[in-house]
Amino acid sequence: MSRWNIPFNKPSFIANERDYIEQSLANQHISGDGYFTKRCHSYLEEELGVAKALLTTSCTHALEMAAILIDLQPGDEVIIPSFTFVSTVNAFVLRGAHPVFIDIRPDTLNLDEAKLESLISPRTKAVVPVHYAGVGCEMDQILAVASRRGLEVIEDNAHGLFGKYKGKYLGTFGSLATQSFHETKNFTCGEGGALLINDPHYVERAEIIREKGTNRSRFFRGQVDKYTWVDIGSSYLPSDILAGILAAQLESRIIIQEKRKKIWEYYSAELRDWAQNHGVCLPVVPDHCEQAYHMFYLLMPSLEKRQALIEHLKSKSILSVFHYLPLHLSDMGRKLGGQPGDCPVTEDISDRLLRLPFFNTLSEGEQAFVVESIIDFRF
Ligand SMILES: Cc1ncc(COP(=O)(O)O)c(C=O)c1O
């Protein structure tokens, strides 16, 4: 039970989750790559049109797989926004790569594509666009620079499943893309993720890396008569019980996305005038992007006002949160050479952003109370 009257997040199970858990127990295949895992793979491959989808234990692990797949050598550089979750960068640092932090655009909070070219060096191997809040990065420009300069593009699409950029699904632009099914995401199995593979030449090695560096997947398909250790790898497969929960959630895609769209549009409509009158900015979704309705945030005028609003909402038993602390200014980021002023937009936004409660079962009455409490806040 939450101690908050209105928590920030609450997972909800609206369809066949319990039935599918029962079925996976009855199938007596509760390890990875069972019936429900395959069902999730097919669903993602067919809906998104990707060459291959592989469920993983988290988006963090899908990012680690991507970093192994592109064969980074120590000292190689990867361009990553400073305004992101720690896993986006950790996965590459684990392989000995040096992260080069790129600042974000002040409107969508996605990496600033205009700054990309100037950060490329002879050691740059990849760029990692994060589709923040499920709103697409400017992929035309990013892909043009990447192809001219020979960079891999790996999309961190933790927020953006089923969002689109210029009519094409997020996660289908880079050679590789990663998804999260963590409890806070639109579709969840508690902890989970997926690696989406658009460049088919990565498929075979991805299956090996995911299966502890063995060719076990080929063995199960009858393509080899025994399986053995062929590469580096780890155990990145989720249990089929979790895949059952996820399959039920994915199959409820339309209902879930409709609920989230309604919640997002309510906040947007009800807070528009208040925001305008108090110098608060609301999320920007360019016309050429169909967002994934992952989150709703406010950009307050200052750090002090942001903190005061969080406290005010807490006094009404409403939990609102902030993120991300700029990675270039974290302890690790500073060890890697990060300095204040390296990414000024990130530093500013990080102080002012506030995320409102957002989950599938948030009722209109609860939302009205959140909005009323915000409007009630004394500036
Ligand atoms: C942008 C981004 N990438 C990666 C992750 C890591 O996801 P997971 O918890 O599935 O490892 C998160 C988590 O919220 C995230 O926000």
Side-chain angles (χ1 to χ4, degrees), residues 171-193:
T172 65
F173 292 91
S175 49
L176 299 163
T178 63
Q179 300 297 152
S180 174
F181 301 117
H182 181 261
E183 182 177 291
T184 49
K185 302 304 186 293
N186 297 22
F187 304 90
T188 183
C189 56
E191 297 278 358

Side-chain angles (χ1 to χ4, degrees), residues 58-61 63 84-85 87-88 130 156 158-159 179-182 184-185 191-193 324:
S58 61
C59 183
T60 301
H61 280 167
L63 286 160
T84 184
F85 192 70
S87 299
T88 320
V130 176
D156 180 340
H159 302 176
Q179 300 297 152
S180 174
F181 301 117
H182 181 261
T184 49
K185 302 304 186 293
E191 297 278 358
Y324 297 110

Side-chain angles (χ1 to χ4, degrees), residues 37-343:
T37 306
K38 289 181 184 134
R39 197 151 145 174
C40 290
H41 289 172
S42 305
Y43 186 91
L44 291 170
E45 285 160 12
E46 280 160 26
E47 292 291 309
L48 302 173
V50 293
K52 187 87 193 157
L54 292 172
L55 289 197
T56 56
T57 29
S58 61
C59 183
T60 301
H61 280 167
L63 286 160
E64 288 179 19
M65 285 182 66
I68 296 173
L69 278 167
I70 62 167
D71 253 336
L72 289 171
Q73 302 303 315
D76 283 347
E77 293 174 6
V78 180
I79 301 177
I80 301 171
S82 173
F83 190 68
T84 184
F85 192 70
V86 65
S87 299
T88 320
V89 62
N90 227 350
F92 298 93
V93 173
L94 273 169
R95 308 252 55 85
H98 181 77
V100 173
F101 290 111
I102 185 167
D103 207 357
I104 50 172
R105 298 168 56 111
D107 51 3
T108 56
L109 316 187
N110 281 327
L111 73 74
D112 187 346
E113 66 285 351
K115 297 203 160 68
L116 184 55
E117 191 112 40
S118 67
L119 296 174
I120 297 174
S121 84
R123 299 296 315 253
T124 311
K125 285 284 150 57
V127 55
V128 188
V130 176
H131 302 298
Y132 182 71
V135 175
C137 295
E138 290 306 320
M139 292 313 297
D140 282 352
Q141 288 87 326
I142 294 169
L143 290 175
V145 174
S147 102
R148 195 163 59 243
R149 305 293 297 265
L151 309 184
E152 291 277 0
V153 176
I154 298 170
E155 298 170 75
D156 180 340
N157 195 30
H159 302 176
L161 186 58
F162 304 129
K164 288 182 178 174
Y165 169 81
K166 297 195 176 170
K168 190 169 157 17
Y169 281 117
L170 304 180
T172 65
F173 292 91
S175 49
L176 299 163
T178 63
Q179 300 297 152
S180 174
F181 301 117
H182 181 261
E183 182 177 291
T184 49
K185 302 304 186 293
N186 297 22
F187 304 90
T188 183
C189 56
E191 297 278 358
L195 180 70
L196 306 180
I197 304 174
N198 294 304
D199 180 342
H201 102 268
Y202 283 128
V203 172
E204 189 174 339
R205 189 159 179 242
E207 287 182 338
I208 290 169
I209 291 165
R210 181 167 166 270
E211 270 282 22
K212 301 96 183 158
T214 72
N215 55 356
R216 200 169 172 191
S217 300
R218 301 195 75 204
F219 170 72
F220 283 135
R221 287 196 297 263
Q223 292 166 324
V224 286
D225 57 8
K226 55 183 180 311
Y227 77 86
T228 186
W229 183 28
V230 293
D231 202 337
I232 60 167
S234 191
S235 187
Y236 292 123
L237 302 74
S239 157
D240 214 51
I241 305 174
L242 292 180
I245 300 176
L246 184 63
Q249 296 250 309
L250 290 174
E251 288 165 14
S252 313
R253 166 185 171 185
I254 294 182
I255 303 168
I256 289 176
Q257 290 302 80
E258 267 172 11
K259 281 177 192 284
R260 299 186 74 95
K261 179 169 191 263
K262 206 166 147 232
I263 292 168
W264 197 96
E265 285 177 347
Y266 184 94
Y267 276 142
S268 171
E270 298 299 317
L271 290 169
R272 191 175 305 135
D273 291 347
W274 168 83
Q276 241 168 29
N277 294 337
H278 293 92
V280 175
C281 295
L282 301 185
V284 172
V285 183
D287 285 346
H288 55 271
C289 291
E290 286 166 52
Q291 62 153 319
Y293 300 103
H294 174 53
M295 70 167 90
F296 195 92
Y297 60 83
L298 309 174
L299 287 178
M300 298 295 287
S302 66
L303 172 66
E304 293 69 34
K305 296 281 179 226
R306 196 260 313 263
Q307 294 308 106
L309 180 54
I310 290 176
E311 288 309 315
H312 170 75
L313 293 175
K314 273 187 188 165
S315 75
K316 312 253 175 188
S317 197
I318 298 168
L319 183 62
S320 60
V321 301
F322 63 85
H323 75 175
Y324 297 110
L325 296 175
L327 286 174
H328 68 286
L329 298 180
S330 63
D331 288 354
M332 262 303 272
R334 282 178 193 262
K335 274 190 216 155
L336 293 162
Q339 302 275 344
D342 285 353
C343 297

